[in-house]
Each structure stands twice: as structure tokens, then as C-alpha cells.
Amino acid sequence: MSQTQSRTDTTTLKLQGMSCAGCANAIQKAINNVSGVEECEVNFASEQATVQFNPEKTSLETIQGAVEDAGYGASVYSQEDMMTGRGDAEIVAREAELKDLKRKIWVSGVISLILVVGSLPMMTGLDLPFIPPWLHNYWLQFVLTTPVQFWCGSHFYRNAWKAFKNRAATMDTLVALGTSAAYFYSLFATLFADFLIQQGLTPQVYYESAAVIITLILVGRFMENRARGETSQAIRKLIGLQARSARVIRDGETKDIPIQEVEIGDMIQVRPGEKIPVDGEVTQGYSTVDESMVTGESIPVEKSVGDEVIGSTINKTGSFQFQATRVGKDTVLSQIVQLVQQAQGSKAPIQNLADQVTGWFVPVVIAIALLTFVLWFNIMGNVTLALINMVAVLIIACPCALGLATPTSVMVGTGKGAENGILIKSAESLETAQKLNTIVLDKTGTLTEGKPQVTDYVTTFGTSNQNELKLLRLVALLEQQSEHPLAEAVVDYAKSQQVQFNGIVEDFNAITGSGVQGTVSDRVVRVGTARWFNELGIKTETLAEKANQWEAAGKTVIWIAVDHELEGIMALADTLKPSSVDAVKALRTLGLEVVMMTGDNEKTAASIAQQVGIPRVMSQVRPEQKAEQIVSLQQEGKQVAMVGDGINDAPALAQADIGIAIGTGTDIAITTSDITLISGDLQGVITAIELSRATMTNIRQNLFFAFIYNVAGIPIAAGILYPIFGWLLNPIIAGAAMAFSSVSVLTNALRLRKFQTL
Ligand SMILES: Nc1ncnc2c1ncn2[C@@H]1O[C@H](COP(=O)(O)OP(=O)(O)OP(=O)(O)O)[C@@H](O)[C@H]1O
Ligand SMILES: [Cu+]
Ligand SMILES: [Mg+2]
């Protein structure tokens, strides 16, 4: 048996022609039916489908074909297209649709007005002499309404037909059925008026209802479309940040070239006030750079030789040269756009409910509408009342707002996050973040700068400078092999003391969470924690008092032993980030329990925790135990967020309900966290949590708005209140309510754009 390697490709398709969540369901079904498709998620708000498929079993063309067969359009959309502005096609298409809608609204609006005026005497039962009676001529009304019904309302029919072919029913089905019922009943009354009078019935027409409903729904759709364009504004803003050209130095010549032509390794010149075109490393010069558009951090950052610069950020005062390290779709900005787009296309768990409801909603509504008709006709024997109530039910029940409620807020919320330098991986993360009640902060690099420095150094053999330097040489040789931040600090210190780095380390071994050991000139050197030395049986008493003092001051002490004898200790201090104290305070104000976690010893940890105001500390946690510690917090019934630098804390970040990676400059892609803070500022954690709370509140409001129209509207439209109060719902009011429900949901979602942190 031959074994074929199975591969999975993930592609984003841009969809066209959807009018409600029912359409999204239909497309999702169609794509899932293609064999070779592993997973598919269709998002109505962002109008995109994320498809995972096996390229050996199916192709993109097949998938696109399936979407087209279902009656919709799908175009493939690459990251490059997105960044080079082909995404504007979406805007152009939207503009065209808006223009078409506007024209139809004018026509149907003016005609509706004439019809309503003409029907006023009949509707109100008043004698209105200024309205000429011929305005209420059935045939005139018929002539006026027909173009509204079949031209302005044409796409309701078209979409309803598409849905019907897919054995589905969408909001268009409801609108088409509802207005057709009103129109054709009126036509019947117009044609057979005499016959109806002979039968003792009053021939009534409802042309104005059909026309007004169509007008209102078109207005609703117009506003919906316009607002939807605004929800994706954040992404367009990000894309718009890109520079258009770069000033490269090739073969000693400086020339301006389009940004697409920049290659990795190119030398690029940046002058004051210019946009940095791509990502790279400074090779010459010095300047300050405003990175706020990417990191959300407003203070300009100093850049000198060796520092990384991010494309699309703005150079302030100085002028410098840098070498391009990432171009095209690999740049930080491009990756941010990709991440935000993915997040915007993802589904929040809270949406499942809405989706399920919309799935069976339309058929149920049609059933209720028929039942309404039958009951009214049988009980009241009045075909007119039966008909208008049925129409009212069909119109008010439209579930379109329900489909918009969650995704629009998610789009605005995640976009808002990106504006503040907060990348939220998915709608699910956004939803989970608001449930958090415990936040675990890593000490090194999260609360502190993560750049420790040696502050003290003593040995057991007094102050003979010679011997101290000899020992320092051994320590430094060993630490040179280690990648730990403490090790780097020790090496820097040794260099500053003019230590000669000659010598070979054999049998080097790093014991995570404990220290390092190795053999130099046949002597076994160990540098690490007291706990480790105690385990090895190395006596630490002689310097214990000194170490205690340092640790109480919040310094990390590392112990040095040669051939199983303690020979010295060294203290390293790491400065707190300036924002840490305020951030911890704010997190506690938000009602979160704040915990500090570190591999450092108890006393140092306690001292730092006290300085930043954290009551609960988990110290001496080995790297591999960090995830277990998160589990134990979760077992206490807590919803835990872990904040770390995302590299050595990865398992803990993954274990936590929400893993928040503190940015390490430009490595956004490697983090597997739920939320990434591009700037290393803890303030971002607060913003993220607040944003998630604001978004979820917004979603709940939206769901309320969306549900209330349907839930309250259907029984009223069916005439439940008629026996008690004599109330009926005029189909026109139903049309207005339904148009307004989508608009109110969108308007509410867009309010999120004004979100601001404490
Ligand atoms: N290369 C090293 N040289 C000296 N000591 C080390 C080295 N690596 C680890 N240690 C010792 O082990 C301890 C625990 O290290 P670990 O990496 O688990 O945590 P940490 O970096 O100090 O703190 P955090 O968990 O907040 O990042 C350190 O505090 C230090 O005392
Ligand atoms: Cu609708
Ligand atoms: Mg560490």
C-alpha cells in the first residue's frame, strides 16, 4: 500500500452576493459538500470564507465553482493582493452596490409617497378633500407599484430563488413572499373588484404596503452596507500605513523604487520625517522612530546601529541607513493585517446560538405566517385581515439583524485592538478574555525590563583582586555558553572588568531552573541557585547572610562553586518597567487577582512583588512547572490569563485560558498566544481585557436588539393582541421595524470604535 502524504491548504475566499446569515449557511454547506474540504467557516460580516482543504483531492477552482453553483461569487484573495491594494476591489464593488441601491430607493421612495398619500383617506377613514380621489384609483396604483415590486425589489426575488435552489430560505425569501402576497392580493382585488362586491366583500388593495416595505428594506440595506464598509476600516487603515516607495542604495547608486521591488538585503536610506518602507536592521546613523501606528506605544523609540526597525513606522529627526530583513508578506505590518483579518473572520462561541436560530428560523416563520393566515381566515372569516397579518409576520420575522449582531462587533473590536497594538487571535479569545478573573504575570521581562545587571560580587577568599578576577573568568567562560539573560549580564560584567576570555569549557551543561555547570582546566565549575547547591551537598552557609541581604533588596543571587566548594556569590538587579506598578494597580481595580510567577528564589520574588504591589507569588517555579502551576490555579476554579514573553513561557501561555504574549519587538508570527501585545507595555493587558469586556457587552446589546424585534414582533404581527387590545401590526410598521433592527445593530457595533481605555 502506498502512503500518500496528506497536505492541508488554507485559503481565504472573498464572497459576493450574500444578503443575510442564511446565505452564509448556504455557502458553508456548499463548500463543505466538496470532497477534499476539511473545514470551512463562512463569515457573513466580513464576507469571507476560510477553507481548509486537501489540494490533492480538490482545487480552489472546484471550491469556487461550488460557491457559484450555489448562486454566489467567490474570489481568491492573497495576502499580496491585500497589501497592494487589490483589496480596494471590495470597496469599488460596495460603492457600485450602494449607487444601485440609491437609485432604487429614489424610485421606490417617490412612488411609495404617492401611494401612501393616495391611500390616506382610506387608511384613516377621514375625509381629506385636498387629496384627489383618482390618486386612489386601483389601476393607477397597480401601474405605479409594479416597477417597485419587480425592479426595485428584483434582487429579493433573485436571492430567494437562489436560496430555493439550495433548498434553503433566507431573509430575501421572507421579503419576496411577504411583498408578493400583498401585491398579488391587491392585483386580484383590482381585477375582480366587481366580483368581490357582488359577494358582499370590500375589495381592498395593499399596493402601498408592498411598495413601502420594499423601500424601507432597501433603505435598511443601504445603511447596512455603508456601515459594513466602516467595520473593516481598521484593516484598510493598517494597509494604508505602508510606504509606497523606498530609497535604496544599489551598486553605489541611490534611487527611489516602488516598495514591491525592494529585496531582502537591500540597503535603504531613510531621511527625517520619512516612512520606513520595510523591516530591517540599522547599519548606519542614529534616529528616533515613531512606532505608535504599529505598537500603540506613543513615545518615540531610539534607534542606532544594530537595532531593528519596523516597516511603515515614521522616522523622526535623524537620518539612517538600514538593511532590509523582511519584505512583502513577511513584514510585521503584513502579518498584523493577516492576523487581524483572520480574527475578524473567526466566529465567537456566542454566535453559535444565533447561527442555530437563523438556521431554522425562516422555515418556522413561514409556518407561523401560514398558520396566522389559516387561523384568521377560519376564526374571523376575513381574508383581508388574514392576509395582512400573514404579511406582517413574514416581514417582521426577518432574522438579518441576528446574523450581524456578533460578527460586526467582533470586527470592530479586533480592529480597535490592532489600532492599540493589541493583536487578538480570534473571536473566541475575545470572548474568553472577558471571563478572566486571575492574571499570572511572569516576572522577568514582563514586570521587569528583563535586562539584569550585575551589582555586587563577593568571594569566600576575601578581597584579593587577583583571585576574584580569576574566579570571574571561570564564571564568565561558563556563562558565555548559556543563553539565559542572567548569563548575558555576567558576561557583560566580566568584559567591563577586562577579564580575558581564554580557556575551553568542557562538558557544558545547563540545568533549567537551576544553573549551569562545566569543566574548565579540569576544574568543575557550577553557577546557579542555592537550592541546587544544597541538593548537591555544597555548603552555602558562609555567604548566606550576605545573600539574604541582597535578596531582601530584590536582587537575584547566583552562587559559584568550584570543585564542590562554594567560592563566591554575585547579585544581579533587574529594573522594573516604569508602567508595572500602575498596571498592576489597574488590573486589581478591574477585579482581577494578580499573581506573580518566577523561577527566581522566594525572597527576591517577594521583594519584587511587594514593590509592584502583587500579593500572591509563586517562586522557584521551574520552567517546565509553569504550566502545572496554571493548571493548579484553574483547578481552584479560576479563569486564568498568563502574561509572558512567549518564548520560554510557551507551555504556560498555551495552558492558560488566555495566553498573552508580551511583544519582543518584531517576532509576532512565532507566538502562539491568544493575544499579543506588540509593545512590551503591561498597559496593553488592561486595554485588552477592557476591550474584550466592551465588545462582549456590545454583542449582548446587539443580540438583544436583534432578538427583541423578532421575539416581540412575531406574536404581535400574528395578531395575538387583537382579541385583548384590538391591536394589529401594520405590515408597513413591520417593514420599518425590520429595517431598523439591522441598522440599530450596526450603529451599536460601530459605537465600539469610540472605545477608550482608562
Ligand atoms: N545561566 C545561569 N547562570 C546562573 N544562574 C542561572 C542560570 N540559569 C538559571 N539560573 C538560576 O536559576 C534560577 C531560575 O531560573 P529560571 O530561568 O527558571 O527563572 P528566572 O529567569 O530567574 O525568572 P523568570 O521565571 O521570572 O523568568 C535563576 O534565578 C538563577 O538563579
Ligand atoms: Cu432582513
Ligand atoms: Mg526567565
Side-chain angles (χ1 to χ4, degrees):
M1 234 166 62
S2 76
Q3 185 136 355
T4 48
Q5 203 182 346
S6 91
R7 228 158 40 99
T8 306
D9 278 9
T10 306
T11 315
T12 305
L13 291 173
K14 200 76 203 162
L15 301 168
Q16 290 100 32
M18 286 200 284
S19 56
C20 77
C23 302
N25 281 342
I27 296 178
Q28 184 151 338
K29 232 189 267 168
I31 297 180
N32 274 325
N33 279 343
V34 176
S35 77
V37 169
E38 276 148 25
E39 223 179 297
C40 164
E41 206 164 79
V42 174
N43 187 302
F44 171 48
S46 61
E47 300 181 295
Q48 61 190 28
T50 314
V51 191
Q52 282 176 27
F53 65 98
N54 184 337
E56 278 147 20
K57 291 194 189 140
T58 186
S59 66
L60 263 181
E61 287 74 41
T62 318
I63 296 169
Q64 269 174 287
V67 176
E68 272 152 31
D69 287 344
Y72 303 90
S75 42
V76 187
Y77 215 52
S78 76
Q79 181 69 9
E80 260 106 347
D81 291 343
M82 188 80 205
M83 298 306 286
T84 52
R86 252 192 52 195
D88 296 350
E90 183 194 343
I91 303 167
V92 173
R94 195 186 299 283
E95 299 275 287
E97 196 180 340
L98 284 176
K99 220 166 118 193
D100 180 51
L101 274 172
K102 216 189 241 168
R103 214 169 27 212
K104 287 179 172 163
I105 288 169
W106 266 110
V107 173
S108 67
V110 170
I111 292 177
S112 298
L113 193 69
I114 300 170
L115 291 171
V116 169
V117 171
S119 310
L120 272 181
M122 229 207 79
M123 275 162 73
T124 56
L126 300 173
D127 187 25
L128 302 167
F130 51 90
I131 297 171
W134 54 263
L135 255 185
H136 196 237
N137 180 289
Y138 286 3
W139 286 103
L140 175 73
Q141 294 213 344
F142 163 72
V143 169
L144 286 174
T145 309
T146 304
V148 174
Q149 184 73 35
F150 297 106
W151 180 64
C152 301
S154 58
H155 74 271
F156 298 120
Y157 285 110
R158 219 175 313 134
N159 291 339
W161 177 242
K162 264 187 219 168
F164 181 73
K165 277 197 301 188
N166 295 313
R167 267 171 272 125
T170 67
M171 66 165 284
D172 296 297
T173 316
L174 296 179
V175 177
L177 280 178
T179 57
S180 301
Y183 176 84
F184 285 108
Y185 174 78
S186 305
L187 179 59
F188 178 81
T190 309
L191 288 170
F192 304 104
D194 295 340
F195 169 77
L196 287 170
I197 293 167
Q198 269 172 24
Q199 298 291 311
L201 296 165
T202 355
Q204 279 190 30
V205 294
Y206 288 93
Y207 289 121
E208 82 286 345
S209 297
V212 172
I213 289 168
I214 288 176
T215 309
L216 286 171
I217 293 174
L218 289 178
V219 169
R221 191 161 287 184
F222 178 81
M223 291 167 80
E224 183 185 319
N225 260 339
R226 217 177 38 184
R228 267 214 235 172
E230 283 169 43
T231 55
S232 56
Q233 203 190 36
I235 282 214
R236 249 176 289 133
K237 227 164 150 184
L238 279 171
I239 294 171
L241 284 177
Q242 287 181 115
R244 306 219 174 274
S245 64
R247 194 150 241 263
V248 299
I249 308 164
R250 282 184 188 163
D251 312 321
E253 246 181 272
T254 311
K255 55 178 176 184
D256 285 315
I257 58 168
I259 184 150
Q260 291 84 351
E261 290 170 21
V262 178
E263 282 165 22
I264 291 174
D266 271 339
M267 280 299 174
I268 298 165
Q269 177 73 39
V270 186
R271 291 168 298 186
E274 273 181 346
K275 226 173 229 182
I276 298 169
V278 295
D279 298 355
E281 203 181 297
V282 178
T283 52
Q284 200 184 314
Y286 168 87
S287 188
T288 51
V289 174
D290 176 5
E291 296 187 335
S292 60
M293 57 296 288
V294 175
T295 63
E297 175 79 64
S298 57
I299 304 161
V301 189
E302 291 182 31
K303 300 283 176 186
S304 53
V305 175
D307 286 339
E308 283 187 319
V309 287
I310 307 174
S312 312
T313 57
I314 294 171
N315 179 29
K316 302 287 267 190
T317 45
S319 153
F320 64 91
Q321 265 180 30
F322 76 96
Q323 186 165 32
T325 53
R326 271 183 295 233
V327 299
K329 67 174 172 25
D330 300 321
T331 61
V332 171
L333 187 77
S334 184
Q335 283 174 27
I336 293 175
V337 168
Q338 214 171 338
L339 271 168
V340 174
Q341 234 195 341
Q342 268 166 18
Q344 292 193 331
S346 67
K347 269 184 191 166
I350 195 172
Q351 199 187 335
N352 289 340
L353 174 70
D355 278 354
Q356 274 166 8
V357 172
T358 24
W360 48 257
F361 205 74
V362 175
V364 167
V365 166
I366 294 174
I368 295 178
L370 286 174
L371 192 69
T372 307
F373 182 84
V374 169
L375 285 178
W376 275 91
F377 189 65
N378 283 340
I379 297 171
M380 309 292 284
N382 186 332
V383 71
T384 316
L385 276 186
L387 186 89
I388 57 164
N389 288 337
M390 180 182 87
V391 173
V393 170
L394 285 174
I395 300 300
I396 194 116
C398 207
C400 50
L402 212 50
L404 285 172
T406 319
T408 44
S409 303
V410 168
M411 280 182 84
V412 179
T414 46
K416 194 75 207 172
E419 263 173 49
N420 287 289
I422 298 161
L423 299 180
I424 300 159
K425 198 170 78 184
S426 66
E428 190 175 352
S429 313
L430 197 63
E431 184 171 339
T432 316
Q434 57 89 56
K435 296 186 203 138
L436 296 172
N437 52 24
T438 305
I439 189 149
V440 180
L441 302 169
D442 187 47
K443 187 195 77 167
T444 315
T446 301
L447 285 164
T448 68
E449 297 282 4
K451 292 180 192 111
Q453 270 174 333
V454 175
T455 54
D456 311 83
Y457 168 47
V458 296
T459 56
T460 47
F461 35 78
T463 49
S464 144
N465 199 13
Q466 272 301 312
N467 290 336
E468 274 188 357
L469 280 181
K470 267 186 196 154
L471 182 63
L472 185 57
R473 182 184 142 255
L474 294 181
V475 174
L477 276 173
L478 203 59
E479 293 288 31
Q480 223 178 3
Q481 312 286 319
S482 164
E483 273 158 12
H484 202 277
L486 291 176
E488 263 173 60
V490 172
V491 173
D492 284 348
Y493 173 70
K495 280 181 185 156
S496 74
Q497 301 295 309
Q498 267 81 43
V499 166
Q500 299 295 314
F501 281 75
N502 52 349
I504 295 160
V505 181
E506 287 165 304
D507 307 325
F508 175 81
N509 202 353
I511 295 112
T512 39
S514 293
V516 287
Q517 68 177 39
T519 312
V520 187
S521 327
D522 290 332
R523 303 174 73 196
V524 179
V525 185
R526 289 192 178 90
V527 186
T529 62
R531 186 170 59 165
W532 182 39
F533 281 18
N534 291 336
E535 281 162 17
L536 294 168
I538 301 169
K539 292 207 167 49
T540 54
E541 282 82 31
T542 33
L543 292 170
E545 207 190 306
K546 192 95 219 155
N548 267 340
Q549 275 172 20
W550 292 346
E551 284 174 354
K555 293 174 182 176
T556 301
V557 177
I558 55 175
W559 301 70
I560 305 156
V562 179
D563 291 335
H564 239 73
E565 279 307 318
L566 182 70
E567 297 221 334
I569 53 174
M570 212 179 253
L572 295 102
D574 193 359
T575 41
L576 282 179
K577 285 187 189 167
S579 60
S580 291
V581 176
D582 286 341
V584 168
K585 207 186 282 166
L587 284 169
R588 295 181 71 184
T589 319
L590 283 178
L592 294 150
E593 182 182 356
V594 184
V595 182
M596 183 177 105
M597 182 151 78
T598 178
D600 218 335
N601 78 85
E602 212 180 309
K603 258 189 238 104
T604 315
S607 165
I608 300 277
Q610 206 211 338
Q611 286 174 42
V612 286
I614 296 179
R616 185 165 173 183
V617 184
M618 296 172 155
S619 59
Q620 297 195 15
V621 184
R622 291 175 193 277
E624 70 274 12
Q625 291 172 335
K626 286 188 174 174
E628 288 165 33
Q629 292 292 329
I630 302 284
V631 174
S632 73
L633 282 170
Q634 284 167 329
Q635 277 163 354
E636 290 174 29
K638 296 188 161 135
Q639 294 277 336
V640 187
M642 162 86 197
V643 188
D645 52 23
I647 300 155
N648 42 26
D649 304 320
L653 288 178
Q655 175 59 43
D657 297 287
I658 289 289
I660 303 178
I662 286 250
T664 47
T666 51
D667 294 326
I668 321 168
I670 55 161
T671 56
T672 50
S673 54
D674 302 299
I675 296 177
T676 304
L677 309 177
I678 305 177
S679 83
D681 198 335
L682 267 183
Q683 186 64 41
V685 178
I686 297 146
T687 313
I689 290 173
E690 282 184 326
L691 183 64
S692 119
R693 288 184 182 178
T695 309
M696 292 316 292
T697 309
N698 197 268
I699 289 177
R700 276 186 221 107
Q701 290 162 348
N702 279 351
L703 286 173
F704 174 79
F705 275 131
F707 265 118
I708 196 72
Y709 285 99
N710 292 330
V711 171
I714 294 175
I716 300 177
I720 255 185
L721 296 180
Y722 187 72
I724 315 165
F725 303 108
W727 288 357
L728 283 177
L729 193 70
N730 187 314
I732 292 180
I733 306 286
M738 113 111 229
F740 190 68
S741 75
S742 303
V743 172
S744 56
V745 160
L746 271 156
T747 316
N748 189 49
L750 288 176
R751 270 193 328 122
L752 256 187
R753 286 199 305 192
K754 298 208 192 78
F755 168 84
Q756 257 168 354
T757 34
L758 289 173

